[in-house]
Amino acid sequence: KKHLPNCYPIATQNSKLKTFSLKVVQGKTKTTYVLLSAPWNVLCYYAEEISLRVPLQVVTTPISNWSEKILEKLHIPNIMAQDVPNLPPDYYTCQFHTNKLERFLGHENKDTFFKTTQRHQILYEILARTPYGSLKRGEVGIGRLVSEHVLTAAFPLHEGQFEMPKTPEDPQSLNMRQILHHYWARWACWRKYQPLDHIREYFGEKIALYFAWLGFYTGWLLPAAVVGFIIFLFGIWLMVTDVAAEELCSSGNAFVMCPLCNICSYWNLSSICYTYKAGLLFDNGGTVFFSIFMSLWAVTFLEYWKRTSSILSHRWDCSEFEEIEERPRPEFTALAPMTVRNPVTGAEEPYFPETQRLSRTITGNMVIILMIAIVLIFLIAIILYRTILSIIIYRSQNAFFIFSAGRIASLTGSMLNLLVILLLSRLYTYLAQILTRWEMHRTQTKYENAFILKVFIFQFVNFYSSPVYIAFFKGRFVGYPGNYNTLLGIRNEDCGASGCLIELAQELLVIMVGKQVISNIQEFVLPKLKTWWHRRKLKPAPSQELIDEPDGQPDLSPWEANYQLLVCEGLFDEYLEMVLQFGFITIFVAACPLAPFFALINNWVEVRLDAQKFVCEYRRPVVERAQDIGIWLTILKFISYLAVISNAFLISFTSDFLPRLYYRYTTGSMRGYINFTLSVAPANFTQSYMTCRYRGLRDDKGQPTQDYYHLLAIRLSFVIIFEHVVLLIGRIIDWMVPDIPEEVEIKIKREHYMAKEALAENQVRQNIL
């Protein structure tokens, strides 16, 4: 605490809690710690008040997952399995009632009846409800005290150190934090199953569900990465055997191309032989199959995750979790201008007029639109940068740079775009927090949903605007020789002779992989630097003064060691990073079959980095219950549907798959395909003694040919057929995969029956009396 007198009202005025306080001298600063605990009668009262669930009977059914079952049937050793000690047992549970205490397992031992995390929930519930000042001014709750810097922190303690003991001990004697570090957070555990039940036992359901989702997503990336790698190898084989590529590379001076800019010179198509072959790595018939595969993969992944989520939520007693009456946020309580009577409870509660909230929400949406416009302005600036840089390189008269002008401009533009994306992301996330607080949402759930939607909408435009431009707009409005379209006096960008798909693949790899590398470095380095700096500031003076315990030890106490750790900032950034990655590997997967492979490698690292942060570097967060991953599942469904449409248009209008298929169907072979894709420039553009070619299906006057309209009809038909077939198959998968497995439904019915039996005995006694 920074202000010592303001601390004690919470500790001393609340007679429900037992307190223990001590003072530590740190240079000129005195830090006072108050340790809180609750007696048995208080635990029982609030356990019933907040509807905690307690065990009725042990579930004897063994816990297993699908991969264990498959490997067991195939008689393949399971290298992912590990024997983690102190596995938390699975129970049939029921809501706690004090008058039925004898019906619950373990009621004889009051010290262990309630789990540590349940005690934390009860204590935080008391602190969140306790007034410390004027109720009319909303001076209620520990959260507001921390936000007003009266208290510097409020957190539950970790269960000892995470380091393993120096002398070998029985694994069963390890504390839960040591178990999590040794069997989960170490890099050596990268190929092992996550001990989800241990994570839930220590951190609560909300954090455990995040790691369960991350592990499930990473496991499903494995088949996607394998198929994508096979498609990539197929592209390498095409580089050697493709007829059109061989024809282009051996054309010599047969195809003289028109200048790429107003000051550029004519050039031979054969000069881009290697670039054209490289484009076949990402633009071939295999990408069509992979697009269909990934679209169905995304739908199936989400369906099976809902199934897995229902299993976990039931096992963790959250399948029927609903906050019937969620408390107002401390900021809302403090800033609401008026109070109204709650029609349910009859109590006076803070209230913010809906008309004022609506006006604030509209203003916040206008700010979002303004920020999106800024993103688009930066996108146009990067487009102009690429064009201007190409012109500067051509004017340099350096043969090597002139030959690679387009690739240099494209690569540096992608790197510059990544830098702009990261800077705007940090700025907007800070701005979104201010806007969401200003909108005055009553509950934490509404606040989080509004904040998540704001940031996702902006990040969606921020990260995907450049790939969308390259995929669907670049090269579409160029015109033709003698009639080029311009932007701000500069000729519009055109795709290279090998198409835009290779540029899209480059953009995706730079943005996705670059962001992942930067994020992982930040997650590995920044917490360690912050922890070092925090501990240096809090380094105690040589002398320490204990108030309530004169015989205290001078060594660093557990509360001091925990206070030196970093504040857990929640799961928002972790979810957002994975959801944006999910968008890259589904929306634009037709352009880069290696995207799932890079995502898989990143996620293997991400799981251990996040585990180390929670076990070693963060203060232990207050347990929060959750039934699923919340609004993130809705966002993932939106991305999966958008991916089907995006891949359909990518294959139809950006890839060369349909033109190749059309040409092979009409001629019977691929000989002459290069000549088919090139048109002759109009006579008024070239000199009388020379002609040049450009990419397009146009006649000598610049008008679209009959083949152009035939191909356009084929493209549009493919989009409709692809979309309907994939969505239909996805709907069938949705119908075939039930959200709740049959065995879980049986367990739920069994649990309801046992709870009913426990209630029945009490009701019979009441009727007799």
Side-chain angles (χ1 to χ4, degrees):
K1 299 186 301 294
K2 290 185 177 179
H3 310 290
L4 302 183
N6 292 332
C7 155
Y8 288 99
I10 290 183
T12 58
Q13 290 180 8
N14 194 332
S15 58
K16 303 181 182 71
L17 302 179
K18 298 179 180 178
T19 64
F20 165 82
S21 61
L22 55 91
K23 180 173 63 178
V24 176
V25 180
Q26 300 165 335
K28 297 181 180 179
T29 304
K30 293 181 179 179
T31 302
T32 301
Y33 297 88
V34 178
L35 279 69
L36 304 178
S37 63
W40 171 252
N41 60 331
V42 173
L43 291 175
C44 290
Y45 174 82
Y46 277 93
E48 191 168 352
E49 180 78 10
I50 64 178
S51 301
L52 285 184
R53 299 181 71 90
V54 290
L56 289 169
Q57 180 181 321
V58 177
V59 178
T60 56
T61 307
I63 299 172
S64 61
N65 57 51
W66 60 272
S67 59
E68 284 181 327
K69 295 178 181 177
I70 293 176
L71 293 173
E72 184 179 354
K73 289 181 179 179
L74 297 176
H75 302 287
I76 299 175
N78 189 356
I79 62 173
M80 296 176 288
Q82 60 176 340
D83 185 17
V84 184
N86 297 333
L87 176 66
D90 187 16
Y91 296 106
Y92 291 113
T93 61
C94 173
Q95 287 188 5
F96 177 78
H97 292 278
T98 306
N99 58 357
K100 299 194 300 293
L101 179 62
E102 70 280 358
R103 299 302 304 272
F104 302 121
L105 287 181
H107 66 275
E108 303 86 0
N109 191 340
K110 295 181 180 180
D111 294 332
T112 59
F113 180 74
F114 291 109
K115 297 186 296 185
T116 304
T117 51
Q118 290 177 328
R119 292 170 179 265
H120 294 166
Q121 286 178 271
I122 292 171
L123 284 170
Y124 195 80
E125 182 73 17
I126 295 172
L127 294 176
R129 294 183 181 186
T130 302
Y132 62 89
S134 172
L135 290 176
K136 294 182 179 180
R137 294 196 297 268
E139 295 178 340
V140 178
I142 191 74
R144 188 177 177 193
L145 283 171
V146 174
S147 65
E148 292 178 351
H149 304 292
V150 176
L151 306 178
T152 57
F155 54 89
L157 294 176
H158 278 292
E159 296 180 5
Q161 298 295 324
F162 64 85
E163 295 93 348
M164 295 291 287
K166 296 180 180 179
T167 58
E169 292 186 10
D170 181 13
Q172 301 295 329
S173 65
L174 299 175
N175 65 51
M176 191 63 75
R177 193 183 184 195
Q178 290 172 329
I179 291 173
L180 288 175
H181 179 260
H182 186 74
Y183 294 93
W184 178 47
R186 294 187 306 127
W187 292 105
C189 302
W190 67 273
R191 59 184 177 88
K192 300 295 184 181
Y193 291 129
Q194 297 186 90
L196 295 176
D197 290 301
H198 294 76
I199 299 171
R200 178 251 180 173
E201 188 78 7
Y202 194 74
F203 291 112
E205 291 80 12
K206 191 171 185 178
I207 291 176
L209 274 173
Y210 163 71
F211 282 104
W213 177 82
L214 180 57
F216 186 83
Y217 171 46
T218 304
W220 272 69
L221 277 175
L222 185 59
V226 171
V227 175
F229 198 76
I230 293 173
I231 298 298
F232 182 75
L233 295 178
F234 176 70
I236 295 177
W237 177 75
L238 279 181
M239 289 176 60
V240 182
T241 60
D242 186 68
V243 175
E246 183 181 328
E247 184 181 69
L248 182 146
C249 292
S250 60
S251 62
N253 299 327
F255 301 112
V256 178
M257 305 298 292
C258 298
L260 297 175
C261 62
N262 295 332
I263 65 170
C264 302
S265 59
Y266 296 91
W267 56 286
N268 291 323
L269 186 62
S270 59
S271 63
I272 63 161
C273 171
Y274 296 111
T275 305
Y276 186 85
K277 286 186 174 182
L280 294 175
L281 291 173
F282 308 101
D283 188 0
N284 54 71
T287 58
V288 180
F289 165 77
F290 194 52
S291 298
I292 298 174
F293 173 83
M294 287 302 297
S295 299
L296 297 178
W297 173 90
V299 174
T300 310
F301 159 71
L302 293 178
E303 290 303 318
Y304 273 93
W305 164 248
K306 287 192 293 185
R307 184 181 175 92
T308 302
S309 178
S310 67
I311 295 173
L312 292 175
S313 63
H314 175 261
R315 195 165 87 213
W316 295 341
D317 304 323
C318 293
S319 57
E320 298 177 353
F321 171 70
E322 289 183 5
E323 288 188 304
I324 299 174
E325 189 180 352
E326 191 175 3
R327 291 189 310 274
R329 299 175 61 246
E331 292 85 354
F332 180 87
T333 302
L335 300 176
M338 57 189 297
T339 60
V340 296
R341 185 176 297 276
N342 188 316
V344 178
T345 63
E348 288 287 331
E349 292 185 352
Y351 176 76
F352 195 84
E354 292 296 331
T355 54
Q356 294 185 30
R357 179 183 289 110
L358 179 62
S359 63
R360 292 189 177 199
T361 302
I362 294 174
T363 304
N365 292 336
M366 295 302 295
V367 174
I368 295 175
I369 295 173
L370 176 63
M371 291 298 297
I372 290 175
I374 293 174
V375 171
L376 298 179
I377 290 172
F378 274 104
L379 176 62
I380 295 173
I382 290 173
I383 294 171
L384 295 176
Y385 160 82
R386 285 197 291 255
T387 305
I388 294 172
L389 182 62
S390 298
I391 295 174
I392 293 174
I393 292 175
Y394 275 111
R395 285 181 173 174
S396 67
Q397 297 183 350
N398 186 305
F400 173 77
F401 287 112
I402 290 176
F403 178 75
S404 306
R407 289 193 292 274
I408 294 173
S410 179
L411 182 60
T412 56
S414 299
M415 298 174 67
L416 180 62
N417 186 45
L418 173 62
L419 179 62
V420 171
I421 285 172
L422 295 177
L423 292 177
L424 288 179
S425 298
R426 190 169 294 274
L427 170 65
Y428 180 76
T429 301
Y430 175 74
L431 180 61
Q433 289 177 339
I434 297 176
L435 287 174
T436 311
R437 284 199 300 267
W438 185 64
E439 289 174 358
M440 292 293 292
H441 296 280
R442 182 179 182 274
T443 63
Q444 186 66 22
T445 300
K446 292 181 179 179
Y447 172 86
E448 289 180 356
N449 288 345
F451 177 68
I452 289 170
L453 282 177
K454 278 185 182 63
V455 177
F456 175 74
I457 291 172
F458 175 78
Q459 298 287 45
F460 185 88
V461 177
N462 192 25
F463 276 89
Y464 300 148
S465 58
S466 182
V468 166
Y469 162 74
I470 295 175
F472 304 118
F473 296 99
K474 185 176 181 179
R476 301 289 184 270
F477 310 101
V478 177
Y480 57 90
N483 189 28
Y484 286 116
N485 299 321
T486 60
L487 174 65
L488 301 178
I490 300 176
R491 202 169 94 184
N492 289 346
E493 273 191 309
D494 193 5
C495 297
S498 57
C500 275
L501 216 61
I502 186 173
E503 294 185 40
L504 178 59
Q506 172 190 288
E507 187 80 5
L508 290 177
L509 290 175
V510 170
I511 294 177
M512 189 184 84
V513 178
K515 179 184 181 300
Q516 289 176 350
V517 171
I518 293 173
S519 297
N520 287 335
I521 292 175
Q522 288 178 338
E523 290 187 22
F524 183 76
V525 175
L526 289 183
K528 289 179 170 50
L529 292 177
K530 288 180 180 178
T531 302
W532 171 80
W533 180 250
H534 191 55
R535 288 178 177 174
R536 182 177 178 182
K537 290 193 301 182
L538 297 176
K539 186 176 181 180
S543 63
Q544 294 184 345
E545 179 185 1
L546 297 179
I547 295 179
D548 291 347
E549 189 175 348
D551 297 330
Q553 297 296 326
D555 297 335
L556 199 63
S557 59
W559 39 89
E560 291 179 85
N562 278 249
Y563 184 57
Q564 292 179 358
L565 299 176
L566 301 178
V567 178
C568 178
E569 298 177 351
L571 298 170
F572 170 77
D573 290 331
E574 317 299 339
Y575 272 119
L576 180 63
E577 181 181 357
M578 292 297 104
V579 167
L580 290 173
Q581 181 198 90
F582 182 80
F584 278 119
I585 68 170
T586 53
I587 297 177
F588 305 105
V589 74
C592 187
L594 286 180
F597 175 75
F598 289 113
L600 176 64
I601 295 176
N602 172 79
N603 288 8
W604 270 333
V605 176
E606 185 74 22
V607 171
R608 304 306 154 189
L609 282 177
D610 289 345
Q612 287 183 358
K613 286 191 300 185
F614 277 93
V615 174
C616 307
E617 295 163 358
Y618 282 167
R619 296 172 188 163
R620 190 175 182 180
V622 178
V623 169
E624 294 184 65
R625 300 183 70 195
Q627 187 170 341
D628 49 35
I629 62 174
I631 197 174
W632 294 110
L633 182 61
T634 305
I635 293 174
L636 290 171
K637 289 181 180 179
F638 165 75
I639 291 176
S640 66
Y641 289 130
L642 185 62
V644 176
I645 301 172
S646 172
N647 283 304
F649 278 94
L650 268 176
I651 295 168
S652 297
F653 292 94
T654 307
S655 170
D656 274 348
F657 172 73
L658 290 182
R660 283 170 170 264
L661 200 63
Y662 172 76
Y663 184 79
R664 183 185 292 274
Y665 176 78
T666 54
T667 63
S669 72
M670 289 301 294
R671 291 290 175 186
Y673 173 73
I674 298 297
N675 186 61
F676 167 75
T677 60
L678 300 177
S679 300
V680 179
N684 60 353
F685 177 77
T686 58
Q687 301 175 6
S688 57
Y689 59 87
M690 184 177 185
T691 60
C692 67
R693 312 292 293 273
Y694 64 98
R695 187 178 175 87
L697 300 175
R698 296 178 181 270
D699 57 22
D700 55 1
K701 295 181 180 179
Q703 300 302 314
T705 63
Q706 191 174 13
D707 287 329
Y708 171 85
Y709 291 107
H710 288 166
L711 196 54
L712 179 61
I714 293 172
R715 293 179 193 270
L716 295 175
S717 301
F718 180 85
V719 169
I720 297 173
I721 295 172
F722 182 94
E723 175 191 359
H724 281 70
V725 169
V726 173
L727 290 179
L728 176 62
I729 297 175
R731 185 65 63 181
I732 293 173
I733 294 172
D734 186 6
W735 173 73
M736 292 177 62
V737 180
D739 291 347
I740 302 178
E742 184 179 357
E743 60 269 20
V744 174
E745 291 183 346
I746 295 174
K747 285 183 179 180
I748 292 174
K749 292 178 181 178
R750 170 67 178 167
E751 195 167 57
H752 285 171
Y753 170 77
M754 296 184 66
K756 185 177 179 180
E757 288 292 309
L759 287 170
E761 181 179 339
N762 186 62
Q763 290 172 353
V764 169
R765 289 179 180 177
Q766 289 179 351
N767 293 334
I768 293 175
L769 294 174

